[in-house]
Amino acid sequence: MGRGRQKAKQTKVARQLKYYSPETDYKSLERELGHSGASYDPPERDSSDEDDDGYGGWASGSSR
């Protein structure tokens, strides 16, 4: 296969992949990911002084 035909074929395949949008089966995706249906609860943040860099007062507008 010559370079021109090869490039044309690659272009055709790339165009098909770019513009092809199949219907998404969300139920199937949910099963595949193992989603139990429960909502996500982010972990509570510990209010320790480890993260306090001394600039918190400046960010909120209060002075120390």
Side-chain angles (χ1 to χ4, degrees), residues 17-47:
L17 290 173
K18 181 178 180 180
Y19 294 111
Y20 174 68
S21 58
E23 290 295 317
T24 305
D25 184 6
Y26 292 107
K27 294 291 183 190
S28 161
L29 181 61
E30 192 174 299
R31 281 192 309 271
E32 184 178 331
L33 295 175
H35 184 68
S36 64
S39 64
Y40 173 73
D41 292 328
E44 291 187 22
R45 188 165 180 223
D46 187 19
S47 62

Side-chain angles (χ1 to χ4, degrees), residues 45-54 64:
R45 188 165 180 223
D46 187 19
S47 62
S48 66
D49 290 338
E50 295 175 13
D51 295 332
D52 188 14
D53 57 4
R64 289 191 167 188

